Amino acid sequence: MSKYCFGIDVGGTTIKCALFLNDGTILDKWEIKTNTDNGGERILPDIADGIEAKLKEKKIDKAEVEGIGIGLPGPIEENGEIACAVNLHWGRKNIEKELNELTGMAVKAGNDANVAALGEMWRGGGKGAKNLIMATLGTGVGGGIIVNERIVTGAHGAGGEIGHALVNPHETIPCNCGNKGCLEQYASATGIARLAREALEASQKASVLREKERVTAKDVFDAYKEQDELAGEIVEKFARYLGHALAIFASVSDPDVIVIGGGVSKAGEVLVDCVQKQYEKFAFSACKKTPIKLAILGNDAGICGAAKLILSR
Amino acid sequence: MSKYCFGIDVGGTTIKCALFLNDGTILDKWEIKTNTDNGGERILPDIADGIEAKLKEKKIDKAEVEGIGIGLPGPIEENGEIACAVNLHWGRKNIEKELNELTGMAVKAGNDANVAALGEMWRGGGKGAKNLIMATLGTGVGGGIIVNERIVTGAHGAGGEIGHALVNPHETIPCNCGNKGCLEQYASATGIARLAREALEASQKASVLREKERVTAKDVFDAYKEQDELAGEIVEKFARYLGHALAIFASVSDPDVIVIGGGVSKAGEVLVDCVQKQYEKFAFSACKKTPIKLAILGNDAGICGAAKLILSR
């Protein structure tokens, strides 16, 4: 019976790797620089080399390893293919097949945002839940939907692309995706900074935010914690967009828990409180009390979710 | 090896029953009146008696039967319990356990709207799909979400309760659920009739709809097919609400196909065309071409889905 597995989280700059016991204990972690030269041709071989070296170092036989789970920044299809990964300089590629050929071990691949959601379900803010919605509020808004402990991949690998739920049909400025009015335009770090700029321009109200040359999402939440009135209005607008969207998502999958992660979530419990309040206004009766929680794994969400991916394949 | 299964669809007035071959062929159908006397205590025994009689009539041994799938009008939890079913006069009840004890056969229960979605996936408008969103536009708006050929039940049995996605935060009139602005208020037969009343009051435009004493959803679509301008505006409003909502749902589960059923869908392909056009405006790029199709099983969706439920348990 296998005792170990590997969790790999591939980013555009760094590849995070970890050796796990099958119960979720992290035995060792290491990082590799992401080498995107020549269409990223070294990325999978570098990962394979790192794994082989680790097995040798720890004197672990391959027969004791369940396999390798890997999270990647792009849409992964059911057959283990990635359609493209701009940040890795990859076109279409069958990750599971290629990494299996390089290592001789079973491989299961998933989209990085989805895999992070699985990690938070297994060992993080959603521990104990079988059904979960995760919203990752960073530069953009990513998402992951877990139903019965499994990632919802979808027909085009676009399951959980909740950042591009179109929540404001009246928006005039385009999102990076080409549509206008995506959740990402209001609930990401960049989106919150824009809401702040607009609020500062639209009103004469005094605010500590006026002292900043370039207001960030963190500035907004810091000012909000200091009872700055204008910051309160900005946070309420952000929370209304996010809470309303989460309520609609919950009418689809009815999760046990909603987890909020990403850089913006560092604002902490005050953020959750505002979003929960707005969520309850919009949610269907059966789902009104669904808890909203902070992600807790931070940078480890990806490796944890990747490990869970291979364990529950 | 089993060859047969039963599909049961319990409604407030009638219980539809069918004996299937495991390949989906319907061998026989019959109906029972729903007896709601004394807290609906006869409903499950009546179903069991009907099944026993059918087995005897067809000379089928229980060992040849895979089991019984049953769709019910209420939220079904993972353990086979129904929380309540107002139309059946039931409170909390473990359907799977009780019907198993009555028949000695395996039982799998599901919510009726979800089960209909499974039926349309198996034998209907979504045949061949593994991931599907179904919207049933009747007196209300029901829904079912299928991910990897399985119903999304959710934490409170409220998975697929898309009729109560709150799509218009500016609504002043309450929905039956207590919130204001649910999809059901614009996309159900009653919702469309209301949109029509409002449009007729708000404008002086000539319309064949003014000749009706009480405008129905069917009247609106009939007039729309005759190029009635005001009917066109009403249909566009309906399609915008529904298309926009479906686009948000698709950002969650990224289905292979979206199926529209229920009485309103009898308007036919013109309805699908309007909704598809609006859907494409709001959908995320990867999902823009997701086809929207009409349900085709009609009243058989429930029994078919129930049979599939037991076969894929």
Side-chain angles (χ1 to χ4, degrees), chain A residues 134-153:
Chain A
M134 180 164 171
T136 304
L137 315 181
T139 314
V141 171
I145 312 293
I146 309 291
V147 168
N148 275 330
E149 300 190 340
R150 292 184 172 270
I151 289 170
V152 174
T153 305

Side-chain angles (χ1 to χ4, degrees), chain B residues 64-309:
Chain B
E64 296 175 280
V65 180
E66 183 67 27
I68 303 162
I70 182 167
L72 296 146
I76 310 289
E77 293 163 11
E78 280 296 328
N79 63 356
E81 282 192 9
I82 194 164
C84 72
V86 182
N87 294 338
L88 307 180
H89 299 197
W90 283 356
R92 181 166 286 276
K93 202 173 177 72
N94 194 321
I95 309 302
E96 294 181 5
K97 190 165 161 282
E98 289 192 27
L99 192 56
N100 166 265
E101 282 168 5
L102 287 165
T103 61
M105 287 181 266
V107 178
K108 185 78 192 152
N111 166 271
D112 53 3
N114 293 345
V115 164
L118 194 63
E120 288 290 341
M121 181 204 78
W122 192 36
R123 316 268 313 155
K127 202 169 172 177
K130 287 183 167 185
N131 304 288
L132 173 150
I133 293 177
M134 181 163 172
T136 303
L137 316 181
T139 314
V141 171
I145 313 292
I146 308 292
V147 168
N148 276 331
E149 301 191 337
R150 292 183 173 272
I151 290 169
V152 175
T153 305
H156 315 88
E161 277 289 0
I162 56 173
H164 298 288
L166 199 155
V167 296
N168 179 14
H170 308 294
E171 180 60 72
T172 54
I173 298 167
C175 176
N176 289 330
C177 79
N179 282 340
K180 290 172 186 169
C182 293
L183 178 60
E184 178 160 304
Q185 291 182 271
Y186 314 96
S188 64
T190 10
I192 295 166
R194 179 172 75 112
L195 290 181
R197 279 199 306 280
E198 290 175 355
L200 286 165
E201 278 166 28
S203 119
Q204 297 300 320
K205 210 170 271 178
S207 166
V208 296
L209 295 175
R210 294 198 187 278
E211 296 156 23
K212 308 277 173 185
E213 197 178 329
R214 201 181 156 75
V215 177
T216 65
K218 184 177 182 308
D219 295 333
V220 173
F221 279 100
D222 286 346
Y224 172 69
K225 288 174 193 167
E226 301 298 324
Q227 269 89 44
D228 185 89
E229 204 183 316
L230 196 69
E233 290 169 19
I234 300 162
V235 168
E236 201 196 323
K237 197 164 190 178
F238 148 81
R240 200 166 60 238
Y241 275 116
L242 182 57
H244 184 185
L246 291 172
I248 298 183
F249 306 153
S251 78
V252 177
S253 76
D254 182 19
D256 297 294
V257 60
I258 295 167
V259 176
I260 298 182
V264 174
S265 73
K266 289 184 184 153
E269 290 297 337
V270 296
L271 180 147
V272 166
D273 290 346
C274 306
V275 176
Q276 181 99 43
K277 209 173 112 191
Q278 295 291 336
Y279 168 83
E280 284 182 23
K281 276 192 207 168
F282 295 108
F284 178 52
S285 51
C287 312
K288 270 198 198 294
K289 294 298 166 199
T290 302
I292 300 184
K293 294 186 177 173
L294 288 171
I296 58 178
L297 295 178
N299 286 333
D300 283 353
I303 49 172
C304 283
K308 179 64 179 163
L309 197 62

Side-chain angles (χ1 to χ4, degrees), chain A residues 44-45 48 68-70 72 76-82 90 92-110 310 313:
Chain A
L44 293 181
I68 304 162
I70 181 167
L72 295 146
I76 311 288
E77 293 164 8
E78 280 295 328
N79 62 357
E81 283 192 8
I82 193 164
W90 283 355
R92 182 167 284 277
K93 203 174 178 72
N94 193 319
I95 310 300
E96 293 181 6
K97 191 165 160 283
E98 289 190 27
L99 193 56
N100 168 264
E101 282 168 6
L102 287 165
T103 60
M105 286 182 265
V107 177
K108 185 77 192 157
I310 188 71
R313 79 183 185 281

